[in-house]
Amino acid sequence: MILKNLFPGLGSRKSATVPMVKLTTAEKKRLAITLFAGKIIGVLVLLIGIKIILPGMLGNSAFAQETYTAHETTMMNTANTIWTLVAAFLVFGMQAGFVMLEAGFARQRETVNVLMECVFDTCLCGLLFWAIGYAFMFGQGNGLIGWGGGALAGGDPKSWYFLQGTPLTYAGTGIPILAHWIFQYAFADTCSTIVSGAMIGRTSFRGDILYSIGITGFIYPIIGHWAWGPDGFLALMGSTGHLFPTLGTGFRDFAGSTVVHSIGGIASLAGAIVLGPRLGRVFKRDGGGMPPAHNLSLAALGTFVLWFGWYGFNPGSSLSAMDMQGIGRISANTTLAACAGGITAMYVALWFGDTKGKFDLGYTLNGVLGGLVAITCPCYWVSPLGAVLLGGIAGIVVWLTMVFMEYIRIDDPVGAVAVHGVAGIWGTISLGLFACGQYGATGPTGADNSAPVAGLFYGGDASVFKAQCIGSFTICMAVFIVTIIMMFIINKLPHPWKLRVEAEGELMGLDLFDHGTEAYAS
């Protein structure tokens, strides 16, 4: 009747008339119960079918034990490989930042030389890391040096030189060996480029070729193997049968505060000591000061490019897109440490620097970079508050170190020793203080927080702090001793292979003397 009232024409013909059946209340209840029961039975049948056909979708015991089908494993490995390659491309892009930063802090007449050195080091590093460096650093070997197969290659004893005899994937990461190589090559290139910054303006180009071969081909990968190699003695420290077994923990360096930055910064120190200061350089205690940078705009742009590249450097070191919380936390910590480092370096220079009452751009840029270097080691294990604190301290450390370098008359035009060397040391040992005790290790299927790392400020004992101090001291001392011997030998070679360029070339400018051109044609 309701329909008929709403639509008067409905049922006007007898042939369309449908007699209406009225149900009693009991019949209505039975009908509702029947419909509901039918729906429940249908859902149960559907779930049973899914359980039989696609058992993984219901979270059975296999998922609880973190075992995956071949298809699921392939998908995770693919995602992790894409993530690692994108990170590698970001890290490689840092070379543009290094070029701009170093050229900006240099004098105008050595700009082309800076550009040429960075381009050449990048090319040389690629070939050396392909030929020998990767095998030295990441191959199976012993506590001091790697060379290739062994357990990583299913027992195959072949060496990995020239990337021959390598397995399809690296260790338990599931990432193709060549993808892992390109990521690690970008790191090696970063270390190589750091060294040239402290030696700007008085290093012959041929001398640069020689020391770059030593650092990229031997010093970085062999010493890096100690901390990052599968059987490096610092990586295995604290375990039974290895160095300091009662310590109970090994050396940690998530993304390279020590392995990349301190190696580069300490090698820079050795080179600057052997070379001596640039001709005409008068230090503050002698009535002079740091020569002005020729293009601070370029230096500032380079700093931002480096900062951007650090989002590949630190989060990419997880080698895992599956650890979503981890890479998000690393990215946030990286940002906060850089911000805090820039602020503290700016204010400490304002309050205590030579130009009191002035805001110094150079110190601020180096403070940002110092914060980035410091957070590189502990980025996975600290909280955002810890990142702010250790990054802020790094900015102060950078300023103090640059002032000290000026006082002891070591000429470092870009502050490489302070930013990469000393801030790298601080960042490494800060893990033993600021590790928040919540996070353990990353992995190809996600995070494993069953054994979280805790520093002294978060209720941990002194074992992590001790391990970090041992690892940082060991690597820095080894790098300094080996590098200063190498630099000394190269500096004793006859011209034009001697490390330091002839006085004529330095006064003329390395751009014209070594390269026959200028960056800024008049």
Side-chain angles (χ1 to χ4, degrees):
M1 296 299 293
I2 295 174
L3 293 174
K4 191 171 184 179
N5 290 334
L6 290 174
F7 305 100
L10 184 65
S12 59
R13 292 180 295 178
K14 291 184 179 181
S15 59
T17 302
V18 179
M20 298 185 66
V21 179
K22 292 185 177 181
L23 300 176
T24 65
T25 301
E27 290 174 332
K28 289 180 180 178
K29 288 182 179 180
R30 284 195 297 270
L31 178 61
I33 292 172
T34 301
L35 293 173
F36 180 75
K39 291 180 179 180
I40 293 296
I41 292 171
V43 171
L44 289 175
V45 170
L46 178 63
L47 290 176
I48 292 171
I50 293 174
K51 179 76 174 179
I52 295 172
I53 299 171
L54 298 172
M57 292 181 63
L58 295 182
N60 58 14
S61 60
F63 255 56
Q65 296 172 7
E66 292 192 349
T67 58
Y68 303 94
T69 66
H71 177 70
E72 290 165 341
T73 301
T74 299
M75 294 301 294
M76 286 189 291
N77 289 344
T78 300
N80 292 341
T81 300
I82 294 171
W83 167 246
T84 301
L85 287 174
V86 170
F89 304 152
L90 284 171
V91 178
F92 184 81
M94 293 173 71
Q95 294 306 311
F98 278 119
V99 164
M100 289 185 279
L101 179 75
E102 293 183 12
F105 276 123
R107 295 171 295 189
Q108 180 174 325
R109 65 176 185 260
E110 54 214 27
T111 304
V112 172
N113 180 256
V114 170
L115 303 178
M116 185 63 184
E117 283 186 350
C118 290
V119 172
F120 175 80
D121 285 351
T122 297
C123 297
L124 179 66
C125 179
L127 296 177
L128 288 173
F129 205 67
W130 162 70
I132 57 176
Y134 186 79
F136 285 161
M137 193 164 187
F138 294 100
Q140 198 83 23
N142 54 43
L144 296 175
I145 187 172
W147 55 77
L152 293 179
D156 190 338
K158 293 180 181 177
S159 71
W160 288 3
Y161 301 129
F162 301 96
L163 294 182
Q164 299 299 304
T166 57
L168 292 178
T169 59
Y170 182 75
T173 65
I175 295 173
I177 203 85
L178 291 179
H180 188 254
W181 176 85
I182 195 70
F183 183 73
Q184 297 299 338
Y185 154 65
F187 274 56
D189 193 20
T190 297
C191 180
S192 174
T193 306
I194 290 170
V195 181
S196 63
M199 302 168 66
I200 288 174
R202 69 266 203 213
T203 307
S204 72
F205 187 69
R206 291 175 178 82
D208 175 83
I209 293 173
L210 295 179
Y211 84 69
S212 294
I213 292 173
I215 290 173
T216 305
F218 299 94
I219 294 174
Y220 170 74
I222 292 175
I223 294 180
H225 177 84
W226 302 354
W228 282 357
D231 45 12
F233 76 91
L234 291 176
L236 298 178
M237 179 175 65
S239 58
T240 303
H242 297 94
L243 186 67
F244 302 125
T246 58
L247 192 59
T249 186
F251 175 68
R252 293 178 173 88
D253 189 1
F254 190 82
S257 286
T258 290
V259 174
V260 177
H261 295 284
S262 285
I263 287 180
I266 298 302
S268 300
L269 175 62
I273 290 174
V274 171
L275 282 172
R278 289 167 286 178
L279 293 177
R281 174 79 158 88
V282 181
F283 294 91
K284 177 185 174 183
R285 62 189 297 187
D286 302 317
M290 178 71 76
H294 97 276
N295 193 332
L296 281 175
S297 299
L298 195 62
L301 181 59
T303 299
F304 276 111
V305 172
L306 287 170
W307 190 341
F308 180 67
W310 239 284
Y311 291 121
F313 209 100
N314 288 357
S317 292
S318 67
L319 303 179
S320 174
M322 298 296 103
D323 189 358
M324 297 176 293
Q325 294 295 326
I327 59 180
R329 180 175 65 254
I330 294 168
S331 301
N333 287 343
T334 300
T335 303
L336 292 171
C339 295
I343 292 293
T344 57
M346 181 188 73
Y347 276 113
V348 75
L350 173 72
W351 294 329
F352 304 107
D354 298 331
T355 56
K356 292 182 180 178
K358 306 294 182 184
F359 298 93
D360 189 282
L361 177 60
Y363 282 124
T364 305
L365 296 178
N366 277 331
V368 168
L369 295 174
L372 289 166
V373 168
I375 195 63
T376 299
C377 167
C379 57
Y380 190 82
W381 296 288
V382 301
S383 67
L385 175 60
V388 171
L389 294 174
L390 71 89
I393 295 173
I396 299 172
V397 167
V398 166
W399 182 81
L400 289 172
T401 305
M402 293 181 72
V403 171
F404 180 70
M405 293 283 285
E406 181 77 12
Y407 181 79
I408 62 176
R409 299 188 180 96
I410 294 179
D411 189 8
D412 180 1
V414 303
V417 177
V419 169
H420 299 281
V422 182
I425 294 171
W426 158 244
T428 301
I429 64 176
S430 73
L431 174 65
L433 304 174
F434 289 99
C436 65
Q438 299 181 36
Y439 312 113
T442 188
T445 61
D448 177 5
N449 296 323
S450 59
V453 181
L456 287 170
F457 295 163
Y458 289 82
D461 59 25
S463 60
V464 176
F465 183 76
K466 291 177 182 177
Q468 297 305 104
C469 289
I470 292 169
S472 178
F473 177 80
T474 301
I475 288 178
C476 289
M477 286 302 299
V479 170
F480 182 77
I481 292 171
V482 173
T483 306
I484 203 166
I485 292 172
M486 178 188 70
M487 295 290 189
F488 180 81
I489 292 172
I490 297 174
N491 203 39
K492 291 298 182 181
L493 297 176
H495 295 298
W497 293 98
K498 184 179 179 180
L499 186 65
R500 177 143 190 168
V501 73
E502 296 91 328
E504 173 193 357
E506 186 173 343
L507 294 173
M508 177 191 300
L510 291 172
D511 290 1
L512 288 174
F513 185 78
D514 263 341
H515 309 287
T517 188
E518 295 179 289
Y520 307 98
S522 56

